Amino acid sequence: MSQVSSVMRRGPTQFFHWCPACEQMHPLPDSWKFDGNLETPTFSPSFKQTFYQEIGDQSERPNGEERVCHYIITGGVIQFCSDSWHKRSDFVAMPPIPAGVDSFLIETQD
């Protein structure tokens, strides 16, 4: 994983950015339309990821609770959609990737 800007990293087949709502990295596949701006990018279509968050022994689902994160990135601004698990529907500038996240990603994604 290589740093291409303060808000994006590059993996073998996709870019990654920090989602401030989920507090984790999300992939942006190379198959999507990208305007080439590494500091204030625009990607399309919208990003919609389903994942399972572990919630301990009280989970009725063995793999955790289903979460959906859905948003649009335009001009370096994330517009969250109301169908996201975090119930945000606001606009947020793409934040810098927190320190220490890259070392984890290098081990798990490349």
Side-chain angles (χ1 to χ4, degrees):
M1 173 116 4
S2 62
Q3 179 175 345
V4 295
S5 73
S6 65
V7 297
M8 289 200 312
R9 300 296 184 264
R10 179 76 190 148
T13 60
Q14 56 204 345
F15 287 98
F16 290 87
H17 80 96
W18 183 256
C19 175
C22 295
E23 297 184 345
Q24 65 181 2
M25 296 292 278
H26 287 323
L28 300 165
D30 283 349
S31 59
W32 288 358
K33 187 176 177 182
F34 170 45
D35 70 355
N37 187 325
L38 297 173
E39 294 299 328
T40 56
T42 296
F43 285 89
S44 61
S46 66
F47 173 89
K48 188 170 186 178
Q49 178 177 344
T50 301
F51 59 96
Y52 293 91
Q53 180 174 337
E54 295 299 326
I55 56 175
D57 294 337
Q58 297 177 2
S59 174
E60 294 180 13
R61 298 178 70 132
N63 294 326
E65 187 173 327
E66 183 176 272
R67 304 285 193 189
V68 175
C69 185
H70 188 196
Y71 56 85
I72 301 162
I73 297 177
T74 306
V77 175
I78 301 170
Q79 176 186 358
F80 290 101
C81 301
S82 60
D83 63 338
S84 294
W85 74 272
H86 33 69
K87 302 299 182 203
R88 291 178 72 154
S89 58
D90 56 345
F91 294 80
V92 179
M94 291 178 74
I97 297 171
V101 171
D102 289 342
S103 61
F104 171 77
L105 286 172
I106 289 169
E107 296 170 9
T108 59
Q109 297 292 335
D110 282 346

